[in-house]
Amino acid sequence: MKQLVRNIPPIHELQQATQFHTLLNKHQLTKERGTDLLKKAVTNCRKSLLNEQWQGPHPFTDDFIEEIFAQADALMKETYSLSLLKVINATGTILHTNLGRARLGQVSIDHVKEIAGHYSNLEYDIEGGRRGSRHTHAERFICDLTGAEAAMVVNNNAAAVYLILSALAKHKEVIVSRGELVEIGGSFRISSIMEESGALLSEVGTTNKTHLGDYEEALSEETAMIMKVHQSNFVIKGFTESVSTDELVQLSHRLPHILYYEDLGSGVLYDFGQLGIGNEPVVKTVIEKGADLVSFSGDKLLGGPQAGIIAGKKQWIDQLKKHQLARVLRIDKMTLAALEVTLLHYIKGEVQDKNPTIEAITRKKEDILQQSHHFIENSLEVDFSFEIIEGKSQIGGGTMPDVELDTYLVSVSHNILSAQEIHDKLRKGNPSIITRIQEGSVLLDLRTVSSIEQSDIIHALKNLQ
Ligand SMILES: *Cc1c(COP(=O)(O)O)cnc(C)c1O
């Protein structure tokens, strides 16, 4: 084997081969990049030869050169292809945490393109011809929709919580019910973020029950804030009690220096409760009850880009805007572009058509049944069997954990391929298609699949058989 390894031509010789120039031209590579690929291919080959696992031609044959360049070409794909890719979500879970949560509507996407590809008035006051503030852009719409006096936007809701605690409660106490010390998505804990921010956590009550009296007892000169955290991703059932927003607002306003802040998690601007879907508090009602500040995510139930929206009393928002951290946590112009359009759809009352998250949540199951039939009718050439069954869709994204939406599922099976094989092959395809797998069946929930994506799935199935 050592002998064979010695027969591998040196890199400088391989660089003279016509195949090297073909490789460079094919992928528009610089000589350095092409050489890197070649070196990787040779290293792999050397290792395989030494391990006696090499199955290609012997190094002293012409075919060997062909093989090395074929391998360099294959390495090109994995080395220089993009890592962040579109995925088709056929799971029916609308705000899939691993699949990018909310997707944007077309008008938002178009506006992002326009703002990203041009200069913009991001920090310029066109009317006055002078420097402006990026905070002005989405603020009007947020105030309009929530009834708040003022608003600002940061990178995500975790950043919003951090900014509020750091700027307004550093070295002071923040009272939180033990039933609300939540962990979101495995990496965001209220207790840890509080510690990072320098605010002092004052826990009251127990996991299942917290009374108004518990808060009252904890109040002191050191208290900066009473904070309520929405139990986004879990429900406590049985013997439970918590204190309402109304009561906590009243209590905090007994002393002028105490703020009432609610971390709402999901920003609900659309009243899902009216349609019988969950009972998430609508942001406007929390502001109306007198909360000094609220914060929520842009890409959960709001259905916009990743962002942390803070709304409330002007006096506090002004302080937040001036804080050093506001610069650290500031959002990008593309996000602002998407957010403004998302909010405008709410103002115009057109979210059911134009916001993909709201559209997917409020879709009628009959509509999904019809789409499922359509899918099967268009898959006649495909050598799979299909069956439509009733099922449930999740909302996901750590929101509305106890809500399940009625749906229809297309169960896909094949007389040779197992369910696991179909599931894996679809996932590894281009584009990647993520399906459910349950009790030996591959299940497609078309609630989260657009008509173009539906054709992609049919195409992928055709290529699988
Ligand atoms: C989701 C959530 C967060 C974190 O929001 P991100 O936008 O994911 O940063 C914070 N608090 C609560 C209650 C949440 O549900």
Side-chain angles (χ1 to χ4, degrees):
M1 281 306 139
K2 291 227 169 90
Q3 187 55 39
L4 283 179
V5 170
R6 264 182 234 127
N7 282 329
I8 298 177
I11 296 291
H12 67 87
E13 239 172 67
L14 290 169
Q15 281 173 328
Q16 304 308 317
T18 52
Q19 291 96 327
F20 186 63
H21 298 282
T22 313
L23 181 76
L24 298 189
N25 286 337
K26 180 174 168 194
H27 301 294
Q28 301 277 300
L29 290 173
T30 61
K31 193 174 171 194
E32 287 74 22
R33 293 284 184 204
T35 307
D36 279 348
L37 290 180
L38 198 52
K39 282 182 184 163
K40 267 192 203 160
V42 168
T43 307
N44 290 349
C45 164
R46 187 176 289 128
K47 269 192 211 147
S48 311
L49 279 170
L50 290 173
N51 296 337
E52 306 196 7
Q53 281 170 343
W54 179 254
Q55 289 173 345
H58 278 196
F60 40 78
T61 63
D62 284 346
D63 285 352
F64 177 78
I65 311 272
E66 286 297 335
E67 178 63 24
I68 282 290
F69 280 101
Q71 296 207 0
D73 191 69
L75 281 169
M76 168 69 208
K77 257 197 208 136
E78 50 185 87
T79 315
Y80 299 124
S81 63
L82 295 178
S83 149
L84 183 60
L85 302 169
K86 92 166 183 190
V87 154
I88 294 178
N89 172 12
T91 66
T93 299
I94 299 151
L95 297 168
H96 201 301
T97 310
N98 303 140
L99 305 182
R101 297 219 290 227
R103 59 163 142 183
L104 296 176
Q106 194 54 50
V107 191
S108 287
I109 295 165
D110 293 344
H111 194 47
V112 170
K113 267 194 199 162
E114 169 145 314
I115 294 302
H118 294 86
Y119 293 105
S120 64
N121 63 338
L122 180 64
E123 293 187 352
Y124 186 68
D125 171 2
I126 292 178
E127 198 58 41
R130 56 179 173 250
R131 188 193 170 128
S133 159
R134 83 171 60 206
H135 293 308
T136 53
H137 297 292
E139 185 169 14
R140 274 182 307 141
F141 291 164
I142 300 167
C143 292
D144 180 299
L145 288 163
T146 62
E149 285 173 17
M152 74 180 286
V153 188
V154 290
N155 244 317
N156 53 24
N157 189 33
V161 176
Y162 182 58
L163 173 63
I164 289 169
L165 294 175
S166 304
L168 304 173
K170 200 172 214 135
H171 309 313
K172 299 263 187 60
E173 286 178 7
V174 178
I175 308 177
V176 187
S177 159
R178 288 200 172 88
E180 297 171 4
L181 290 173
V182 301
E183 174 174 304
I184 314 278
S187 58
F188 175 83
R189 281 187 176 175
I190 290 294
S191 50
S192 313
I193 209 99
M194 183 93 64
E195 203 174 313
E196 281 299 323
S197 74
L200 310 170
L201 174 62
S202 167
E203 304 175 27
V204 295
T206 61
T207 307
N208 59 331
K209 282 196 166 197
T210 305
H211 308 279
L212 187 60
D214 296 325
Y215 286 93
E216 274 175 328
E217 265 173 41
L219 281 182
S220 77
E221 275 305 304
E222 299 307 310
T223 311
M225 190 182 286
I226 296 178
M227 177 179 184
K228 191 176 184 65
V229 184
H230 190 58
Q231 297 170 337
S232 304
N233 54 1
F234 69 103
V235 274
I236 302 188
K237 284 201 175 140
F239 218 47
T240 67
E241 196 168 316
S242 61
V243 185
S244 71
T245 299
D246 288 307
E247 289 172 295
L248 290 179
V249 166
Q250 265 189 14
L251 179 64
S252 65
H253 292 167
R254 252 194 242 163
L255 295 168
H257 65 280
I258 299 180
L259 259 164
Y260 179 69
Y261 161 44
E262 217 165 298
D263 171 13
L264 292 169
S266 268
V268 176
L269 301 180
Y270 180 90
D271 193 357
F272 296 103
Q274 262 186 355
L275 298 178
I277 304 171
N279 50 3
E280 290 289 307
V282 176
V283 180
K284 196 178 175 114
T285 62
V286 182
I287 295 283
E288 275 168 2
K289 286 177 178 171
D292 293 297
L293 288 172
V294 299
S295 71
F296 49 95
S297 297
D299 58 343
K300 288 186 180 170
L301 292 170
L302 190 87
Q306 179 191 303
I309 300 170
I310 306 172
K313 305 257 162 76
K314 185 168 184 308
Q315 150 188 27
W316 307 115
I317 300 279
D318 282 348
Q319 276 197 38
L320 296 176
K321 283 179 183 168
K322 279 189 225 134
H323 197 273
Q324 271 302 308
L325 272 177
R327 176 66 169 78
V328 177
L329 306 173
R330 78 178 187 184
I331 64 162
D332 169 67
K333 62 190 172 195
M334 290 189 275
T335 310
L336 263 176
L339 185 62
E340 272 214 309
V341 174
T342 305
L343 295 170
L344 192 55
H345 286 325
Y346 278 97
I347 290 173
K348 291 186 177 171
E350 53 191 20
V351 279
Q352 253 177 323
D353 302 324
K354 299 201 168 153
N355 183 314
T357 300
I358 307 291
E359 199 183 350
I361 295 175
T362 58
R363 266 186 91 177
K364 299 250 178 333
K365 67 173 184 175
E366 293 74 27
D367 186 36
I368 298 165
L369 179 62
Q370 205 181 354
Q371 189 184 350
S372 304
H373 281 302
H374 185 259
F375 175 87
I376 294 174
E377 281 156 23
N378 283 278
S379 305
L380 292 180
E381 290 170 42
V382 171
D383 199 15
F384 284 82
S385 349
F386 301 104
E387 192 192 345
I388 297 179
I389 56 174
E390 291 192 21
K392 304 281 182 191
S393 317
Q394 306 282 328
I395 296 181
T399 69
M400 299 206 225
D402 52 346
V403 173
E404 287 189 316
L405 304 168
D406 287 332
T407 194
Y408 285 96
L409 305 166
V410 180
S411 165
V412 184
S413 52
H414 191 266
N415 53 9
I416 300 168
L417 297 170
S418 71
Q420 191 65 48
E421 281 170 322
I422 301 170
H423 175 82
D424 292 346
K425 280 174 192 276
L426 288 174
R427 187 183 73 245
K428 291 179 186 171
N430 179 23
S432 175
I433 299 164
I434 312 296
T435 61
R436 291 197 217 168
I437 184 159
Q438 201 175 304
E439 289 163 16
S441 303
V442 166
L443 302 174
L444 309 177
D445 185 344
L446 300 179
R447 181 185 288 278
T448 46
V449 174
S450 71
S451 54
I452 293 174
E453 291 169 337
Q454 181 172 315
S455 311
D456 284 344
I457 298 176
I458 296 170
H459 188 72
L461 287 174
K462 262 187 206 160
N463 290 337
L464 270 199
Q465 43 204 355

